[in-house]
Amino acid sequence: MKMKKYTAPSIAEAMKLVRSELGDDAVIINSKVVVTKKLFGLVRHKNFEVLAGVDRIDSKPSSRFPDLQANTEFIKPTELPQQTKVHIDDSFTNELKSEISDLKLMLQSMQRDAKLSELPEEILLFIDYLKRQELDDELITAISDELFVHHQNSESPLSNQIMEKIAKGVLIKKLAELPLGGLSYRKKYINVLGPTGVGKTTTIAKMAARCVLEKKKKIGFITTDTYRIAAIEQLKTYANLLQAPVEVVYNANDYQQAIEKFANLDLVFIDTAGRNYKEARYINDLKKIINFNEEVESYLVLSLTSKESDMEAIIKQFNEFAIGKFIFTKVDETNSIGTMYNLMIKYNKGLAYYTNGQEVPEDIEEANLDNLLELFFQGEFK
């Protein structure tokens, strides 16, 4: 296939260039809007980039099919085989389905880009903000479609406030049914899970401090993180400040004894070992120590500084546990928070808290729909 890239001020002009050089049989492989900035970003110029290709097919007749003569003798119907079976390889069928699916996606992309070509620059810049926040493509498409409809029906340009309101409306539809909010106080044992480096121990201290200071609860700590001495000392420091007991457990018997010691407490926070939970053996180690019964409320802690694909691998490993909600940490250490919304929607999990600093107990927010929507637009878009 011969392929070439064309750039023009509009889709129509780009298509003219494609047809004039590659002909009517050309196929559009990809198209996108390209915005270039000049004069320190004060002047912006919009172009459309189209990648097109065409197959060169030899038009000469094949020698395998000679011209039929007038005296050609045809086979009589009675001489045809009675049963003829045509076998189509499954791999060929799957490949054909894949190609059809790719063509559909390509067509949808072209239709979406054609819509975008009709949008003014301020809307394109808003959509670019959504992309920089790493919001999922499906969510961006849904928001873009709403922006397109409002643009078509509006006689004046859409302001940033209106575009933000439209985007929030789409997110509300996706998030409204998910459980949001912190501890329920209906279960005694608060099990906090997550990989190494996400800030589990500090997050537990923030949650526990709120229970003591705001709810006047009697609390205790259990830690299974016997791999890092510093982690145990850190938890003991927080426990001393809150005047709460700590038990370090190495196996299931230790865990059961700690449960019995804490029988008179209101809440018990369980700090699990930070390990590489992409490996199933560490999940099995957890199951051997902790009793995941109906008295346990479990949360999965993830850091927003991690790659989305890595977080998905962690979530899948913890699928067999009854994870109630996510807790996202290090919101203050990243410029893009779209991953938080992507994972909640994709895995149908709510959010308990998100943390935005190291201060205990200040830098933690209990999730609700309003602050989640405001959080998304606190970046450079403002």
Side-chain angles (χ1 to χ4, degrees):
M1 172 179 278
K2 178 183 178 182
M3 291 188 293
K4 188 172 180 180
K5 188 180 292 182
Y6 299 87
T7 303
S10 68
I11 286 289
E13 291 181 49
M15 294 302 295
K16 285 181 183 178
L17 292 174
V18 172
R19 290 194 185 96
S20 65
E21 188 164 337
L22 300 182
D24 293 334
D25 293 330
V27 176
I28 304 301
I29 297 172
N30 187 32
S31 63
K32 63 180 180 180
V33 178
V34 179
V35 178
T36 56
K37 299 180 181 180
K38 299 179 180 179
L39 296 177
F40 308 102
L42 297 177
V43 179
R44 295 183 176 87
H45 184 63
K46 181 174 67 177
N47 277 320
F48 297 86
E49 187 177 278
V50 173
L51 179 63
V54 64
D55 286 321
R56 296 302 186 191
I57 303 174
D58 189 359
S59 60
K60 295 180 181 180
S62 172
S63 59
R64 293 182 298 142
F65 300 99
D67 293 337
L68 293 175
Q69 302 298 321
N71 59 352
T72 300
E73 183 179 351
F74 294 96
I75 299 174
K76 296 179 181 179
T78 55
E79 296 174 2
L80 290 173
Q82 294 300 312
Q83 292 183 349
T84 304
K85 293 184 179 180
V86 179
H87 175 71
I88 299 176
D89 193 350
D90 287 341
S91 62
F92 174 78
T93 304
N94 292 334
E95 185 177 349
L96 184 60
K97 288 180 179 178
S98 178
E99 289 184 3
I100 292 173
S101 177
D102 290 343
L103 286 172
K104 287 181 178 179
L105 290 175
M106 188 185 302
L107 180 60
Q108 290 171 357
S109 177
M110 290 171 61
Q111 291 172 337
R112 184 164 60 250
D113 290 339
K115 278 186 177 181
L116 290 177
S117 69
E118 300 178 30
L119 295 175
E121 186 176 347
E122 62 268 15
I123 296 182
L124 294 178
L125 291 174
F126 183 81
I127 293 172
D128 185 56
Y129 173 81
L130 302 179
K131 292 178 180 178
R132 292 198 306 276
Q133 286 296 317
E134 299 183 10
L135 202 62
D136 186 78
D137 285 343
E138 288 188 11
L139 288 172
I140 292 177
T141 299
I143 294 171
S144 299
D145 288 344
E146 289 292 324
L147 292 172
F148 180 81
V149 171
H150 282 75
H151 168 67
Q152 293 288 84
N153 296 331
S154 177
E155 296 180 357
S156 58
L158 299 182
S159 65
N160 286 346
Q161 290 75 19
I162 292 175
M163 290 189 290
E164 181 179 324
K165 183 178 179 180
I166 292 169
K168 285 181 178 180
V170 173
L171 291 174
I172 286 173
K173 291 178 183 177
K174 299 290 185 179
L175 298 172
E177 299 301 320
L178 299 179
L180 303 174
L183 298 176
S184 68
Y185 295 98
R186 290 193 295 267
K187 295 184 179 181
K188 180 174 180 176
Y189 302 101
I190 311 303
N191 192 26
V192 184
L193 305 163
T196 182
V198 297
K200 287 194 309 300
T201 304
T202 305
T203 300
I204 287 173
K206 293 174 182 179
M207 296 165 65
R210 287 196 168 193
C211 291
V212 173
L213 299 175
E214 297 175 8
K215 303 292 184 180
K216 310 301 180 184
K217 299 291 185 181
K218 293 191 298 181
I219 67 163
F221 297 97
I222 293 175
T223 179
T224 67
D225 194 354
T226 57
Y227 302 95
R228 296 182 304 134
I229 300 300
I232 297 175
E233 293 306 315
Q234 183 185 18
L235 187 62
K236 285 183 176 179
T237 299
Y238 291 133
N240 288 335
L241 292 172
L242 296 172
Q243 298 182 341
V246 180
E247 288 293 324
V248 181
V249 304
Y250 295 86
N251 51 49
N253 288 334
D254 292 341
Y255 180 82
Q256 188 57 42
Q257 290 175 16
I259 294 297
E260 292 171 2
K261 286 183 181 180
F262 291 161
N264 64 327
L265 299 181
D266 298 317
L267 290 173
V268 177
F269 290 87
I270 304 169
D271 186 10
T272 57
R275 306 300 298 271
N276 178 12
Y277 287 116
K278 288 187 286 187
E279 296 188 31
R281 63 192 177 102
Y282 295 129
I283 298 289
N284 293 330
D285 290 345
L286 270 181
K287 290 190 289 188
K288 291 176 183 177
I289 297 177
I290 298 174
N291 180 17
F292 289 88
N293 59 30
E294 60 182 11
E295 288 299 316
V296 173
E297 198 169 86
S298 296
Y299 299 89
L300 180 59
V301 182
L302 298 167
S303 168
L304 283 180
T305 58
S306 303
K307 292 191 297 185
E308 184 167 340
S309 58
D310 290 339
M311 285 190 269
E312 289 200 53
I314 297 297
I315 293 169
K316 289 174 183 176
Q317 286 285 43
F318 281 98
N319 263 348
E320 57 186 285
F321 298 113
I323 302 297
K325 299 171 188 172
F326 293 133
I327 297 175
F328 288 106
T329 61
K330 305 186 181 181
V331 173
D332 58 312
E333 296 181 27
T334 180
N335 291 323
S336 56
I337 61 170
T339 297
M340 179 163 66
Y341 307 88
N342 298 342
L343 295 177
M344 291 169 61
I345 293 167
K346 181 173 183 178
Y347 293 97
N348 197 36
K349 295 288 184 186
L351 182 64
Y353 303 95
Y354 59 88
T355 70
N356 50 10
Q358 293 295 316
E359 295 297 323
V360 179
E362 292 88 351
D363 295 334
I364 187 170
E365 294 291 337
E366 185 172 345
N368 61 59
L369 195 54
D370 288 337
N371 64 24
L372 281 180
L373 295 174
E374 288 301 318
L375 182 66
F376 187 80
F377 292 101
Q378 286 180 0
E380 60 188 273
F381 175 69
K382 290 291 189 184

